[in-house]
Amino acid sequence: DSDGTIPSDHPCNFEHTNIALSLFIYALFSFILDKIQPPAQYGLTLMLGAIAFGQQFLLFHFHSTDHMGVEGQYHWFHQIVILVSFFTTLLGIGYPKSFLNNFARSLSILFQGVWMMVMGIMLYTPEYIPKGCFINSVDGHSIVSCQDDEALERAKSLVNIQFCWYLI
């Protein structure tokens, strides 16, 4: 705003920016630490990852959106994947040579990226909005609203099916 404060109608933009910034800082320091001395810095790299995933989880959990409706369903599933990334990253500090843990962490990070793209496409492309729902602008923020409870339950069910398909 003109007085230097965060505009009250755009807090979710700053939340999304903080999520991206924490993951970028984690990736940057991981790259730098791996170039310096890979074996000695592995625990530190994982600790930075755990901090980034922990912050990402908290920002999604306490997101300024209401976590209701279709967007809330997408966010709820995304939080589950973030927690898997967080816990497998913490486990990696104690068990750095565990193939299963490292594989699960890699898959969960990949799944996070895929699910974020899916959310972006499915929530902000009018052609993919479920039947009976529409994109609505609330305080400058686009959300998916549904005409009635039946359309909302159908849309949430489609999100559940979609998540299962991507997980499989």
Side-chain angles (χ1 to χ4, degrees):
D1 272 349
S2 58
D3 63 354
T5 61
I6 295 174
S8 59
D9 59 341
H10 293 295
C12 63
N13 294 345
F14 287 93
E15 293 165 348
H16 293 156
T17 302
N18 284 330
I19 291 168
L21 182 63
S22 68
L23 293 174
F24 175 74
I25 290 172
Y26 161 54
L28 177 68
F29 276 96
S30 295
F31 181 74
I32 291 169
L33 290 172
D34 286 348
K35 289 295 179 187
I36 294 172
Q37 282 184 327
Q41 309 300 332
Y42 190 68
L44 181 58
T45 302
L46 290 173
M47 184 56 114
L48 288 172
I51 291 169
F53 295 134
Q55 180 186 16
Q56 184 183 15
F57 175 77
L58 288 174
L59 283 170
F60 265 99
H61 187 70
F62 296 113
H63 203 324
S64 60
T65 60
D66 61 5
H67 288 290
M68 302 295 288
V70 181
E71 185 176 357
Q73 195 74 3
Y74 277 105
H75 281 178
W76 189 79
F77 281 123
H78 193 69
Q79 288 177 58
I80 293 171
V81 179
I82 293 169
L83 280 177
V84 171
S85 298
F86 175 73
F87 285 118
T88 55
T89 302
L90 282 179
L91 281 171
I93 296 170
Y95 304 99
K97 296 193 184 295
S98 170
F99 173 78
L100 183 59
N101 184 66
N102 292 335
F103 185 71
R105 182 178 63 249
S106 297
L107 282 181
S108 70
I109 293 170
L110 174 68
F111 194 31
Q112 273 193 62
V114 168
W115 193 244
M116 287 182 98
M117 288 188 290
V118 167
M119 282 193 296
I121 293 168
M122 299 304 288
L123 290 172
Y124 300 106
T125 305
E127 294 84 24
Y128 296 121
I129 302 298
K131 183 171 61 173
C133 300
F134 55 94
I135 295 179
N136 189 20
S137 182
V138 177
D139 296 328
H141 179 68
S142 296
I143 61 168
V144 175
S145 299
C146 296
Q147 295 171 347
D148 54 24
D149 288 339
E150 184 178 330
L152 176 61
E153 291 305 314
R154 181 180 181 282
K156 285 182 176 181
S157 295
L158 291 172
V159 174
N160 296 348
I161 292 167
Q162 189 178 41
F163 182 82
C164 290
W165 285 349
Y166 277 97
L167 185 61
I168 291 170

